[in-house]
Amino acid sequence: MHILVNGIAHDVQATTLAQALDALNYRQAIVATALNATFVPVDQRDSTVLTEGDVLEILAPMQGG
């Protein structure tokens, strides 16, 4: 399936957001996710279905002050 991740095209063998994060090596990372501009909480990633052409944003927390 073709999806856009942080502005870059990717082909992934995934049907859910959790599977895509696994395929992209983010599964154990502490990140925020948005699918098609909608925030997806951690507890909903396993049930969030991906479709061809989806836009996924993966954001890592930043420290600073």
Side-chain angles (χ1 to χ4, degrees):
M1 169 179 324
H2 301 291
I3 61 173
L4 199 61
V5 180
N6 294 344
I8 300 171
H10 285 271
D11 287 320
V12 294
Q13 298 296 318
T15 58
T16 67
L17 177 53
Q19 291 172 353
L21 290 173
D22 254 352
L24 297 165
N25 297 316
Y26 283 101
R27 182 61 174 202
Q28 299 304 318
I30 297 172
V31 295
T33 54
L35 184 62
N36 300 320
T38 301
F39 173 72
V40 180
V42 173
D43 63 350
Q44 293 180 14
R45 292 176 183 169
D46 285 324
S47 62
T48 300
V49 177
L50 297 178
T51 58
E52 184 77 22
D54 276 346
V55 176
L56 174 60
E57 293 293 327
I58 303 170
L59 305 167
M62 297 182 75
Q63 288 184 279

